Amino acid sequence: MIVTGILSGGAICKKLCSLQNINFYDFIIISAVAGSLGFAGAKLFFLFDYYGASNFFKVLDQMLFHPKTSGLISGGFVFYGGLLGGFAGYFIGVKIARTGLTTFLNTFAFAIPYVHAFGRIGCFCAGCCYGIEHHGGFSIAGRFPVQLVEAFLLFAFAFFAFFTIRKKNHLFFLYILYYSFIRFFLEFLRGDEARGRVSFSNGLSFSTSQILSLILFTADLILIIILLIKKAKNDKVGVKDI
């Protein structure tokens, strides 16, 4: 399913690059590097999250040197690990392509949620990342279809980005804000146990993804505020110059 997302998303991104007058082949280079490190990050985060810090290097050794017998290569990924790995890959890819740091951010604001949505549909079909037990409306096989809800919300942002890509300057930062917000609440509707949890002394308990959502939301909101303040100051200086 995710292959369908990558292929169809790539075709759409070619059109988006043309609309923005940016080089599609540079986008491919950056995507290849970001995708590779994103894959590695998603897998490493899963191993750390699922097996714990004490067993991390043991299972990593099994995955690298006994890939067939361990079965750790296929399945088991954490999206936020992929996102953070993709960040690192993006910076490296930009250096390789010798292009501007922010040139392709808006395009990725479409590409990431678009492909991710297909991935969530794949999760639904495979029966992983399933929702809580639910027998009311929208129930599917006695579970809440949280994967499909997330896919719908991701598609919604992807197409918002598609239709506003030439008007919005900070779509990628809006995407991070949007996704971290919805992911925090969607985690309450998850019923699978294949993810770590963080418990606090007051009895509160959050999943690892919820903690990362809070961190990313806060950091991204601060960054957006800084960018808006900077833009307001630049606009004010521009008015004075006139």
Side-chain angles (χ1 to χ4, degrees):
M1 184 59 72
I2 200 166
V3 173
T4 302
I6 292 172
L7 293 177
S8 60
I12 297 172
C13 286
K14 184 176 182 180
K15 175 65 175 178
L16 292 178
C17 286
S18 177
L19 289 174
Q20 299 172 89
N21 295 315
I22 54 180
N23 194 319
F24 177 64
Y25 297 102
D26 286 341
F27 173 78
I28 292 176
I29 292 171
I30 297 169
S31 297
V33 180
S36 298
L37 290 187
F39 178 89
K43 173 58 71 175
L44 292 175
F45 262 68
F46 170 77
L47 296 180
F48 187 87
D49 198 34
Y50 187 73
Y51 293 98
S54 59
N55 295 312
F56 175 75
F57 290 103
K58 179 180 178 180
V59 293
L60 180 62
D61 178 80
Q62 291 176 349
M63 183 184 74
L64 294 176
F65 297 102
H66 308 283
K68 290 185 178 180
T69 56
S70 68
L72 292 169
I73 291 291
S74 60
F77 297 94
V78 172
F79 172 74
Y80 274 137
L83 186 64
L84 295 175
F87 281 160
Y90 179 84
F91 288 112
I92 296 172
V94 164
K95 292 293 184 181
I96 294 173
R98 296 181 180 180
T99 187
L101 186 62
T102 61
T103 302
F104 292 94
L105 282 182
N106 280 355
T107 310
F108 278 101
F110 164 82
I112 296 174
Y114 181 83
V115 175
H116 191 190
F118 277 93
R120 282 306 185 210
I121 295 173
C123 289
F124 174 78
C125 294
C128 64
C129 306
Y130 51 84
I132 57 174
E133 187 174 342
H134 177 66
H135 300 284
F138 303 106
S139 172
I140 299 179
R143 295 279 178 180
F144 183 81
V146 67
Q147 312 100 314
L148 298 182
V149 172
E150 185 171 346
F152 172 80
L153 293 172
L154 287 166
F155 275 132
F157 188 90
F159 286 105
F160 165 76
F162 178 85
F163 288 110
T164 61
I165 197 162
R166 289 189 292 182
K167 299 178 182 179
K168 301 292 182 180
N169 294 323
H170 303 300
L171 278 175
F172 185 80
F173 302 117
L174 288 177
Y175 158 68
I176 297 296
L177 201 68
Y178 173 83
Y179 182 72
S180 58
F181 178 82
I182 65 169
R183 180 61 184 269
F184 179 84
F185 290 101
L186 287 176
E187 282 289 299
F188 289 115
L189 301 174
R190 289 271 296 265
D192 60 306
E193 297 299 325
R195 53 214 167 96
R197 299 197 69 82
V198 179
S199 299
F200 299 91
S201 57
N202 58 4
L204 285 176
S205 177
F206 295 114
S207 70
T208 305
S209 292
Q210 285 178 309
I211 297 296
L212 290 172
S213 291
L214 289 172
I215 294 171
L216 280 176
F217 183 89
T218 303
D220 190 59
L221 182 60
I222 292 171
L223 179 59
I224 289 175
I225 292 172
I226 292 172
L227 290 172
L228 289 174
I229 292 173
K230 184 177 180 180
K231 183 179 184 300
K233 286 182 177 179
N234 289 339
D235 291 342
K236 188 174 181 181
V237 170
V239 172
K240 285 182 177 181
D241 288 343
I242 292 173

